[in-house]
Structure formats: C-alpha cells, structure tokens
Amino acid sequence: MASGNLLTNLGGGLPIRLGGVDVEAIGVGGGTVEQDIAIAKLAVGAISADPID
C-alpha cells in the first residue's frame, strides 16, 4: 500500500494489464520464488494478459 499499489514483495505476484488496461494482479505462492514466478507468468499468458514491468 505504501507504494501506491504498484509494487509487490511476493515473488510470484504480478500486476497485470488486460486489453491495455491495468487490472488487479495475480499471486502465486508455495514453491520457490523461481517456481512461483514461472507459474504466475504461465497463468498471465493463459488469460492473454501482459505482466506490468
């Protein structure tokens, strides 16, 4: 909240853009940071969204 909802400390947490509009985020946890990120990226791709860098 202190970052204006632009950043996350969760390795598998990705804010996403859908149709050019910033919409919420996805969060994945339970594995290693690398695994969480990989699954989150797959999920973002599965709904044809783009991660916000």
Side-chain angles (χ1 to χ4, degrees):
M1 293 176 67
S3 67
N5 296 323
L6 297 176
L7 302 173
T8 179
N9 289 332
L10 177 65
L14 299 175
I16 58 175
R17 182 174 291 129
L18 187 59
V21 178
D22 296 352
V23 294
E24 304 299 330
I26 186 168
V28 178
T32 65
V33 171
E34 292 81 13
Q35 291 169 331
D36 292 347
I37 292 169
I39 296 298
K41 287 182 177 181
L42 286 171
V44 167
I47 61 169
S48 300
D50 300 306
I52 300 172
D53 296 324

